[in-house]
Amino acid sequence: MQMIADLHSHTLCATHAFQTLQEMATAAHEIGYYALAITDHAPAMPDAPHIWHFANGNALPRVVQGVAMLYGAEVNVMDTKGGLDLSQSQLAVQDWVVASIHSPCVPGVLTRKEANRIWLAIAENPYVDCIGHSEQENYRYDYDLVTKAFAQNHKVVELNAGSFAVRKDGIPNMRKLLAACLENGCHIAVDSDAHSAWRLQTALQPLYSLLEELSFPEELIVNATKENLVQELKLHGRRCAEEIGGILL
């Protein structure tokens, strides 16, 4: 199994990552990716880039090292009402938005009711594309209930390889979350959440094993084919969809 893109990656614009955008694109090209989303942490994370970073995509080329680039953000959930740390107008101009819960922004443990409330609210947000590493045990939610809402609102649920390194408590939940996505027809993305070129190139194998175990269908994996990715961007109304489609197809 081989993805054609990674839709969650980071650059040294945050100091806990290690590579430049050029280096990440080079690494993506070397492993045969056709596209790469740069989704640096939004401003509420302690070492995130300045908010101007997320309004300056026009300063960057659409293709780097032969790889079609999507410039977006990993936004932070800020409260149990699904509030995020970028405004709706700022989210609207991104190519790809991943919404995630991080402990510096939502400390402690959420109740099942609180976690459900967060993700059901985010399911209604038209400018969130993907739900990031939501299998964490501290933020456990009702997978069946919420993935139905995600599917209805065209939210992509992420399988995050970074969890095998830094969020191991959530690994047992991945299988249950993936099974709920399969049951409810919810699209997924298979992502590295790479903070280095090495992770971009090496992190996905445990996720491939999980997909094969559940015989998860390619048509529900947005970064499994170029056609799937372009169609997903169009479905989300992303302004880059036609341009990315022209490059990939």
Side-chain angles (χ1 to χ4, degrees), residues 65 72 87 117 154 181 235 241:
Q65 296 293 99
S87 69
R117 183 181 183 186
H154 308 303
C181 289
L235 186 64

Side-chain angles (χ1 to χ4, degrees), residues 59-60 100 148 152 154 161 191 222 235 239 245:
L60 299 167
S100 304
K148 286 176 180 174
Q152 182 177 356
H154 308 303
D191 291 334
V222 300
L235 186 64
R239 294 184 296 182

Side-chain angles (χ1 to χ4, degrees), residues 8 14-15 17 24 39 68-69 78 88 108 111 120 194 204 225 239:
H8 185 167
T15 55
M24 293 298 280
T39 51
M69 304 297 292
M78 300 302 295
Q88 291 297 89
T111 67
L120 290 173
L204 293 189
T225 70
R239 294 184 296 182

